[in-house]
Amino acid sequence: MDNTNANETPLFGKKPKVEEPAAAPVTAAPAAAPAAPTAKKTSVGLIIGAIITAAAFIAASVVLVIVLITRQPNTSSKKSDESSEEKKEEKPTPDEDEDDDEDKDDDEDESEDETEDNDVEDHKDELTITGEKSFTLGIQGKSFKFSNDYVKTVKNALNAGYEMTYQDIEYKDHALTKSNLDSYLNSEMANETKSYRSAEASIIDGNGDTVLSINGTRDYTKKLPQNYSDAKFDTISYSSTLELTLPNGKKISCHNTTKQDIFDIYGETEVSSLDIIRYHKDGLNISFHLDKENTVTSVYIRID
């Protein structure tokens, strides 16, 4: 049986000559691939990329915050307006109500006290139409009101029915009556040669002695010459044994009233080296002049 496999080695004899396959052509080895970047370079790139990403995120966040702020409505003014309205509408607490009521009660009590005081002192003080305070003095069962208006005070004394006199610019006495009052007031009181001349109208008793004098001075705000109608009220002087009723209703008389009597009326105070007791009472400046026996010899009354 024939061996049909040409490549099979025969058992006997030479091996058949077999052609060897042609050797593959020798070619140059391909160039080596570039080495991969080192790990250090890779990490630096990642860091730079992360920084850029973070910066972009921060910028986007800032833009977003600005947009939100600009879109947010301004409620501060609205809140302040609402709070101010709430304060206006806010009612006082019960404690405040009680305090207000107590203050009102105190004011009412004070006004009532003042009213009572005014009622008690109506006999001595009152306000004229001009708002000028006036005070009352009484002599011989009559009374008149005096104020810092000289002319009005003289008229009040005449209208009360007192017998009176006045002194002219030469210090001469003349009877003063309702009929010659205007003539007296229009007479010259002070001129360039007698610029310090004063005015004097007096209440007299039946003997012609002075009981009380109403004294005035020239008006230093006006130019000279001046008449008695320009006189400004200065003092009331009293020096008589006829009883004088003071503005507070108390009665005294010269050469009869003692220092202790005055202390009982107005309160104890110091006596000056000139034997004068001075008081500022009820809007008046009152001075009592004493003799060596501590008896009143004269009284001077001014308006504070």
Side-chain angles (χ1 to χ4, degrees):
M1 184 175 178
D2 295 335
N3 189 1
T4 59
N5 191 350
N7 295 324
E8 189 178 5
T9 304
L11 294 175
F12 302 102
K14 294 180 181 181
K15 295 180 181 181
K17 189 178 180 179
V18 180
E19 295 180 359
E20 294 179 358
V26 177
T27 60
T38 62
K40 184 176 180 180
K41 292 182 180 179
T42 301
S43 62
V44 171
L46 291 175
I47 292 171
I48 293 173
I51 292 173
I52 294 172
T53 302
F57 178 79
I58 292 172
S61 300
V62 171
V63 172
L64 179 60
V65 170
I66 293 173
V67 171
L68 291 176
I69 291 174
T70 55
R71 288 185 179 182
Q72 185 176 2
N74 187 8
T75 59
S76 61
S77 60
K78 186 180 296 183
K79 288 181 179 180
S80 63
D81 294 339
E82 292 176 356
S83 62
S84 62
E85 291 178 358
E86 290 176 358
K87 288 181 179 179
K88 290 180 181 178
E89 297 176 358
E90 185 178 358
K91 295 182 179 180
T93 61
D95 294 338
E96 293 176 347
D97 288 339
E98 292 175 0
D99 293 339
D100 291 340
D101 292 338
E102 291 176 0
D103 293 340
K104 290 179 181 178
D105 293 338
D106 292 340
D107 293 339
E108 291 175 358
D109 293 339
E110 291 177 0
S111 62
E112 290 176 0
D113 292 339
E114 290 176 357
T115 303
E116 291 176 357
D117 292 340
N118 290 336
D119 291 338
V120 172
E121 298 180 358
D122 276 344
H123 67 281
K124 65 175 181 176
D125 286 359
E126 67 177 12
L127 291 176
T128 64
I129 296 176
T130 60
E132 180 179 275
K133 273 192 175 182
S134 63
F135 306 85
T136 301
L137 290 173
I139 300 173
Q140 296 177 311
K142 304 173 186 177
S143 63
F144 72 99
K145 296 184 185 300
F146 69 96
S147 66
N148 54 12
D149 188 320
Y150 174 80
V151 174
K152 187 180 294 184
T153 300
V154 172
K155 287 182 178 180
N156 289 341
L158 270 179
N159 292 333
Y162 292 112
E163 187 176 354
M164 299 185 67
T165 61
Y166 74 90
Q167 285 187 342
D168 62 18
I169 196 171
E170 301 295 337
Y171 297 98
K172 294 180 180 179
D173 290 334
H174 302 273
L176 179 62
T177 63
K178 291 181 182 180
S179 60
N180 70 353
L181 174 63
D182 291 338
S183 175
Y184 160 67
L185 294 176
N186 293 327
S187 300
E188 190 177 63
M189 172 184 63
N191 54 34
E192 295 295 340
T193 59
K194 298 180 179 180
S195 58
Y196 298 102
R197 185 70 174 91
S198 62
E200 181 181 308
S202 301
I203 297 174
I204 60 176
D205 61 16
N207 298 322
D209 297 326
T210 298
V211 176
L212 178 148
S213 293
I214 303 166
N215 305 297
T217 63
R218 58 160 285 199
D219 187 345
Y220 289 93
T221 64
K222 296 180 180 180
K223 295 181 179 180
L224 298 176
Q226 291 183 22
N227 295 334
Y228 289 103
S229 58
D230 297 314
K232 304 292 289 184
F233 176 84
D234 184 25
T235 62
I236 285 179
S237 57
Y238 163 78
S239 57
S240 174
T241 56
L242 293 178
E243 196 170 61
L244 174 70
T245 302
L246 295 168
N248 61 4
K250 302 297 183 179
K251 296 181 179 181
I252 62 170
S253 63
C254 293
H255 309 290
N256 295 305
T257 301
T258 65
K259 178 183 72 174
Q260 188 58 48
D261 294 331
I262 300 302
F263 286 168
D264 292 340
I265 294 173
Y266 287 110
E268 189 167 346
T269 186
E270 293 183 358
V271 180
S272 74
S273 59
L274 298 176
D275 296 323
I276 300 174
I277 310 173
R278 291 187 174 89
Y279 294 95
H280 290 269
K281 294 288 186 179
D282 304 320
L284 295 174
N285 179 353
I286 307 177
S287 59
F288 298 90
H289 293 241
L290 307 175
D291 58 19
K292 297 303 179 181
E293 287 73 30
N294 288 328
T295 302
V296 174
T297 58
S298 60
V299 181
Y300 291 86
I301 303 174
R302 290 180 171 85
I303 298 176
D304 279 341

